[in-house]
Amino acid sequence: GQEKWPKGDEKTWKTAMRDITSETPDITKSIVHHVQTSLARAPYNIDDFGAYQAAALSVRDNLIVNWNTTQIEYSRKSQKRAYYLSLEFLMGRTLSNALLNLGLLDQYSSSLSSLGFGIEDILVQERDAALGNGGLGRLAACYLDSSATQELPVWGYGLRYKYGIFQQLIKADDGSQLEAPDPWLEHQNPWELPRLDVTYEVRFYGSAQRWGEGTGRATWSGGQEVLAIAYDVMIPGYGTRSTNNLRLWESKPKRGFDLQSFNAGNYERAVESSNSAAAITSVLYPNDHTSFGKELRLKQQYFWTAASLADMLRRFKNLEKPISEFAEYNAIQLNDTHPTLAIVELMRILVDEEELSWDSAWTIVTNTFFFTNHTVLPEALEKWSVPLMEHLLPRHMQIIFDIVTVEKRFPGDRDRLARLSLIEEGFPKQVRMANLAVVGSRKVNGVAELHSNLVQKNLFPDFVEFYGLSKFGNVTNGITPRRWLDQCNPSLSALITDTLKIDRNVWLKDLYKLKGLLAHVDDPQFQARWAAVKHQNKERLALFVERQLGIKVDAHALFDVQIKRLHEYKRQTLNILGVIHRYLLIKSLTPEERKKVVKKVVFFAGKAAPGYYIAKLTIRLIVNVARVINADPDTNQYLSLFFLPDYSVSVAEILIPASDISQHISTAGTEASGTSNMKFCLNGGLLVGTVDGANIEIAEEVGDDNVFFFGNLTPDVEDLRYRHTYHPIPVEQKSPALAHVLNTVSSGIFGSDGVYEPLLNTIREGDFYLLTDDFDSYIRALEMVDEAYADRTEWVKKSIRTTAKMGKFSSDRAIQDYAQEYWNIESVKF
Ligand code: CR6
């Protein structure tokens, strides 16, 4: 291999520079060029971070060229486009993905090496772009990758938050979560292009005056005007030059300050108004599955939808088509209810500005929008108070009231229409955004079969009755195999390519090709290579943990992983109580009996919303149980436990390839889909899970015998909850094993003073998430995992079969579904 020079070694750089001749690879020249010009630094002064920046700028040059070509082709062909409106895009790192998609990884690796740098050290210099909370935001990122890869004219629209999801710190003394800001833009971000010339004015407050009797028109004026500035993030497709755009908006005061106040001698007030404009895009709301109704959040939503629609309109007008054809050229996907105001904003533009009749405008709107629901949990369903809306967006509130009255004109009985109501009665009245999204969209979908059924049956049954079933559908989520296999698990990718004897770029674009692995399941040599790859990934994780937490990890043990946002419905509590159960059990065994114990390392990672008390208490319990278990010399060779702080896309890329088993154990009917379950399986990890979300479809594909299912089923949940309320049975009676675990925690061995009582009481009283009902069956499932793992050959076969049957879960398939069944767009080839 190539010799590795010390970082930023003066001699290396100087030699490399002196030796720049016509023979020098262009890539090397380009990196050096960026060091000297873009970074304005002397090459011998460059550290790993500088080398990362220069490499990134050099790669970006390629992207810009492809991006421009693609966008010109889109304009030239004037085909229908689709827009993905998402308040979250959880992109992670870009450099390695861009290198993979451009097919330039090897070249950059050797150029950097000739300059004295190792590619691995360079890639980890990049800070994650973490503009999202969890699955919903990462799904948006996977969909952008798949759209570009399939050469589909799809743009994303989002917000350029100055601070992404908070950094999670674990307090040394008591193990609780602390939040710190994520200043990801501190250093120049090479992956975005500021478009200082692409700006729109967005209005807030003011008043709306109706005019044009019977037309529904009005003029909205006064209030505050804020500027939206575009930043473009290039999204390269894999194995194609096609490069799409993710446009993120930044807010700015329209003028440096409010001149009127300034002239009146009120300097402070003038600056205040400019601060309030900049505040709109300052921070991502760190809540997953909860909506608080905060004014600033509503401001974000309107600011983003208004700027995005204005931008789409401007692009559409360049086509010189009549406005009545808007929906023939534009499809807009609403990622959850967050962008629902776009429906109202498009009505405002069409009625007030384009002066279309209400009915023509409504026809266009309801042919343009598509709505994806991502959860049935009531606390996540957004509602905005009518007084707040009237204050912030007076014209939009009028339009919503008009939609209500106009919809009532349609045939159907009054009662039924009342139930469709967009306005919830009460003090104050509230606008139900999900209902508005359903009424204003052409189609509504959930994110896995079970979830889409629940959307129809439990969330919107009256709408199903009113509009018919054809308005409702399902698109099961997917993940991009580029990032979630090739990039995060290069050894497995290489083994697959070698085994299938087809080009990597073929199976990475047609994931069903993985089926070809089935022919090799019984080949002992292949099994050994497969197992060796998993082991290597476990060693990589062990090293990572040792560096982070200073504790050695046994890579020969069973690796059991649960990584996701902390939430009661996801039941990390069930998992940690199961760990305690295992610990107590091992302690009760004789030395002879212990020989049969399957050695296990349990990993947790995930953030809790800063205001979510019970979720934060769960983290604290996990961290403190880990401290006790890992320090117990009597048992720690059989069982150890880690909570990895500050979970992120990049941390997931290390954890997922290393897992033997992962946990997806939500109360049945609560996890809409889950997407990490797909990532684990694609990397040959098996699942222990409930019959919920996409777990069900994964089992359909890979076979029931390769998934460890447990727990109550969705149809029984309601009845069980009813019984908890009206015929409660004490935990001691329902599950003596669980009662013992709860009492052990209460006894104070993981921290005294009753700190965990509020958490334990959620189980002892009410137990909304059914831990008492599922605990024993959960423990049995984990025992079955142990038994299966004891037969290592069988286990490896299960692992191979699982990966082989994951074709369905490529986000390429999901995006095809959207493109064909919903958006009606075609790829643009050039
Ligand atoms: N939290 C669902 O809970 C789903 C993703 C993406 C979620 C999860 O099951 O896989 O969306 N929902 O569809 C919301 O964010 C509201 C999630 O990420």
Side-chain angles (χ1 to χ4, degrees):
Q2 217 130 14
E3 189 173 351
K4 199 175 152 192
W5 302 83
K7 288 174 193 172
D9 180 277
E10 182 172 353
K11 195 167 120 268
T12 314
W13 274 96
K14 283 189 172 161
T15 316
M17 301 246 308
R18 199 173 48 235
D19 291 352
I20 287 187
T21 62
S22 53
E23 304 291 286
T24 307
D26 287 347
I27 288 172
T28 310
K29 281 190 218 158
S30 142
I31 295 172
V32 172
H33 170 79
H34 278 294
V35 169
Q36 293 178 306
T37 60
S38 312
L39 303 182
R41 290 171 75 176
Y44 55 79
N45 223 352
I46 284 292
D47 54 8
D48 279 354
F49 184 68
Y52 155 71
Q53 285 182 305
L57 288 166
S58 155
V59 169
R60 178 175 97 157
D61 290 344
N62 294 277
L63 295 183
I64 293 176
V65 173
N66 290 349
W67 185 93
N68 262 317
T69 316
T70 310
Q71 303 316 315
I72 289 166
E73 280 304 311
Y74 286 175
S75 306
R76 215 172 57 79
K77 298 245 168 77
S78 310
Q79 286 175 206
K80 187 176 185 184
R81 297 167 180 253
Y83 296 104
Y84 199 81
L85 261 60
S86 179
L87 216 37
E88 304 188 7
F89 288 94
L90 198 40
M91 305 298 282
R93 290 185 178 131
T94 294
L95 179 56
S96 46
N97 182 249
L99 286 174
L100 167 67
N101 284 8
L102 291 165
L104 293 175
L105 185 62
D106 293 343
Q107 281 107 301
Y108 270 85
S109 180
S110 78
S111 281
L112 281 164
S113 166
S114 74
L115 294 169
F117 295 91
I119 184 90
E120 291 304 327
D121 303 327
I122 299 308
L123 294 177
V124 298
Q125 296 301 313
E126 182 174 355
R127 227 186 150 109
D128 276 34
L131 308 184
N133 276 286
L136 170 137
R138 183 55 232 178
L139 183 75
C142 284
Y143 282 177
L144 293 182
D145 180 85
S146 283
S147 299
T149 297
Q150 297 179 87
E151 301 164 331
L152 290 164
V154 178
W155 276 28
Y157 275 110
L159 289 181
R160 181 181 183 265
Y161 304 108
K162 190 167 168 203
Y163 299 100
I165 190 69
F166 63 85
Q167 285 186 72
Q168 179 191 54
L169 307 169
I170 299 298
K171 253 169 96 181
D173 55 347
D174 67 1
S176 58
Q177 168 180 291
L178 278 182
E179 299 89 26
D182 162 41
W184 73 295
L185 293 169
E186 218 164 47
H187 299 282
Q188 189 205 328
N189 172 13
W191 307 112
E192 63 180 13
L193 304 168
R195 296 286 190 200
L196 302 182
D197 54 324
V198 181
T199 65
Y200 298 94
E201 287 166 11
V202 178
R203 183 184 310 279
F204 293 103
Y205 312 106
S207 60
Q209 297 304 321
R210 290 191 185 266
W211 58 277
E213 185 58 33
T215 59
R217 285 174 200 153
T219 302
W220 180 25
S221 58
Q224 177 193 20
E225 278 181 285
V226 173
L227 218 54
I229 302 168
Y231 284 74
D232 288 347
V233 180
M234 294 153 288
I235 309 291
Y238 172 72
T240 164
R241 280 194 299 154
S242 191
T243 303
N244 275 337
N245 196 23
L246 165 60
R247 183 157 280 183
L248 301 178
W249 301 106
E250 181 188 55
S251 62
K252 231 180 77 166
K254 196 173 153 187
R255 284 176 287 274
F257 36 59
D258 172 4
L259 266 185
Q260 247 172 340
S261 310
F262 188 61
N263 291 340
N266 196 342
Y267 176 77
E268 276 156 45
R269 215 196 121 193
V271 177
E272 212 173 82
S273 108
S274 74
N275 285 344
S276 88
I280 296 175
T281 55
S282 70
V283 65
L284 163 81
Y285 274 87
N287 305 302
D288 193 63
H289 282 106
T290 27
S291 164
F292 287 118
K294 288 260 177 31
E295 174 169 342
L296 185 59
R297 169 82 168 187
L298 186 58
K299 270 190 145 178
Q300 288 187 336
Q301 296 187 349
Y302 180 63
F303 171 80
W304 155 57
T305 52
S308 306
L309 271 177
D311 199 39
M312 291 175 213
L313 242 328
R314 181 159 88 179
R315 195 166 306 116
F316 174 70
K317 292 212 160 164
N318 287 338
L319 299 178
E320 298 180 346
K321 304 279 178 194
I323 190 80
S324 58
E325 289 177 20
F326 185 80
E328 272 97 274
Y329 288 89
N330 298 283
I332 303 175
Q333 189 69 39
L334 305 173
N335 197 27
D336 220 284
T337 51
H338 318 148
T340 304
L341 280 171
I343 289 171
V344 191
E345 174 69 0
L346 186 55
M347 278 306 279
R348 188 191 68 78
I349 295 170
L350 296 177
V351 172
D352 295 354
E353 290 174 9
E354 301 295 328
E355 301 192 6
L356 292 186
S357 75
W358 178 276
D359 288 347
S360 330
W362 189 243
T363 304
I364 294 173
V365 165
T366 51
N367 278 315
T368 300
F369 289 99
F370 299 86
F371 166 49
T372 305
N373 168 280
H374 291 266
T375 182
V376 297
L377 297 194
E379 62 267 34
L381 298 182
E382 288 189 299
K383 289 170 191 169
W384 291 108
S385 100
V386 169
L388 172 60
M389 287 268 283
E390 264 165 350
H391 178 57
L392 189 68
L393 302 166
R395 175 58 184 139
H396 296 76
M397 200 56 245
Q398 278 180 350
I399 292 173
I400 293 171
F401 281 130
D402 285 357
I403 293 173
V404 175
T405 13
V406 174
E407 279 288 276
K408 278 191 183 164
R409 254 181 14 202
F410 286 104
D413 61 278
R414 279 188 144 266
D415 268 4
R416 198 161 70 182
L417 287 168
R419 274 181 276 131
L420 298 187
S421 177
L422 309 187
I423 310 294
E424 186 175 279
E425 294 303 324
F427 306 96
K429 290 186 177 164
Q430 313 237 55
V431 186
R432 295 189 185 112
M433 299 312 270
N435 293 22
L436 180 55
V438 171
V439 170
S441 295
R442 175 131 144 234
K443 282 200 84 160
V444 178
N445 75 285
V447 290
E449 291 288 350
L450 173 69
H451 169 63
S452 294
N453 286 331
L454 296 175
V455 166
Q456 291 162 26
K457 291 202 186 77
N458 299 351
L459 225 44
F460 306 124
D462 299 315
F463 290 92
V464 172
E465 209 188 316
F466 189 67
Y467 291 108
L469 259 177
S470 62
K471 184 163 178 156
F472 294 83
N474 171 60
V475 180
T476 298
N477 285 167
I479 55 167
T480 169
R482 272 75 66 181
R483 182 176 294 263
W484 297 112
L485 205 175
D486 189 81
Q487 250 174 272
C488 71
N489 199 345
S491 320
L492 191 65
S493 175
L495 175 58
I496 290 171
T497 302
D498 199 41
T499 308
L500 293 179
K501 306 234 178 316
I502 47 176
D503 259 17
R504 174 180 73 160
N505 58 22
V506 173
W507 66 264
L508 274 179
K509 281 191 172 201
D510 176 7
L511 205 60
Y512 287 105
K513 288 267 182 325
L514 290 177
K515 273 197 202 126
L517 295 173
L518 291 175
H520 306 268
V521 173
D522 295 315
D523 170 1
Q525 248 183 327
F526 177 60
Q527 292 167 1
R529 290 174 79 191
W530 190 269
V533 166
K534 180 61 80 183
H535 188 76
Q536 186 191 326
N537 290 324
K538 289 166 75 173
E539 293 283 9
R540 179 174 70 161
L541 173 58
L543 194 67
F544 179 79
V545 172
E546 199 182 334
R547 283 193 189 141
Q548 288 253 309
L549 303 174
I551 305 178
K552 277 215 175 330
V553 181
D554 177 7
H556 292 281
L558 172 76
F559 276 20
D560 177 332
V561 183
Q562 188 180 19
I563 46 176
K564 43 185 91 237
R565 280 301 283 253
L566 267 286
H567 203 294
E568 285 165 285
Y569 88 83
K570 293 180 185 283
R571 301 201 294 189
Q572 281 93 350
T573 312
L574 180 60
N575 187 348
I576 189 62
L577 296 174
V579 171
I580 297 169
H581 177 267
R582 191 179 182 97
Y583 173 62
L584 298 174
L585 188 81
I586 296 172
K587 278 202 92 71
S588 75
L589 298 179
T590 63
E592 202 47 41
E593 288 169 324
R594 284 185 192 181
K595 285 188 184 147
K596 282 184 241 146
V597 170
V598 172
K599 294 183 178 177
K600 187 160 159 178
V601 185
V602 179
F603 299 90
F604 282 91
K607 293 175 182 176
Y612 194 166
Y613 174 66
I614 291 293
K616 291 178 100 170
L617 207 47
T618 307
I619 293 182
R620 196 166 160 186
L621 178 61
I622 296 168
V623 172
N624 286 302
V625 171
R627 285 176 182 170
V628 171
I629 291 186
N630 296 345
D632 189 340
D634 185 33
T635 57
N636 61 12
Q637 52 181 309
Y638 300 105
L639 179 63
S640 55
L641 166 63
F642 300 96
F643 184 90
L644 301 183
D646 206 29
Y647 182 55
S648 63
V649 170
S650 292
V651 171
E653 289 170 10
I654 299 171
L655 277 157
I656 289 170
S659 113
D660 294 305
I661 190 98
S662 65
Q663 305 214 19
H664 308 271
I665 57 179
S666 49
T667 312
T670 61
E671 187 69 274
S673 162
T675 41
S676 80
N677 43 6
M678 303 167 187
K679 295 167 194 167
F680 282 105
C681 289
L682 184 60
N683 286 276
L686 306 187
L687 299 189
V688 55
T690 44
V691 185
D692 201 15
N695 291 353
I696 301 171
E697 286 158 78
I698 291 175
E700 271 168 22
E701 295 296 304
V702 308
D704 274 359
D705 46 338
N706 293 319
V707 173
F708 300 90
F709 272 136
F710 74 94
N712 283 281
L713 304 181
T714 304
D716 301 323
V717 167
E718 204 185 325
D719 187 47
L720 286 167
R721 280 181 180 159
Y722 176 89
R723 280 193 258 159
H724 287 186
T725 312
Y726 296 103
H727 311 282
I729 303 172
V731 186
E732 280 71 17
Q733 234 170 294
K734 252 176 143 171
S735 167
L738 177 59
H740 181 50
V741 172
L742 295 180
N743 293 337
T744 308
V745 177
S746 281
S747 77
I749 68 166
F750 307 114
S752 39
D753 301 335
V755 274
Y756 302 116
E757 289 312 297
L759 171 62
L760 304 178
N761 286 341
T762 62
I763 303 164
R764 292 179 176 132
E765 294 153 25
D767 188 25
F768 191 73
Y769 295 101
L770 312 185
L771 276 78
T772 55
D773 303 279
D774 284 351
F775 188 77
D776 291 357
S777 120
Y778 173 61
I779 296 299
R780 238 174 293 124
L782 291 180
E783 283 166 8
M784 286 166 70
V785 171
D786 288 347
E787 282 164 29
Y789 195 68
D791 183 346
R792 211 53 61 83
T793 308
E794 242 339 281
W795 184 276
V796 172
K797 287 190 192 173
K798 282 178 184 296
S799 167
I800 297 168
R801 287 196 186 107
T802 299
T803 301
K805 293 190 176 157
M806 289 303 289
K808 169 174 171 184
F809 302 99
S810 169
S811 45
D812 295 348
R813 182 273 310 150
I815 280 297
Q816 269 306 316
D817 279 6
Y818 281 110
Q820 286 169 14
E821 307 294 322
Y822 294 72
W823 307 332
N824 193 23
I825 57 167
E826 273 163 21
S827 58
V828 175
K829 308 233 182 245
F830 56 91

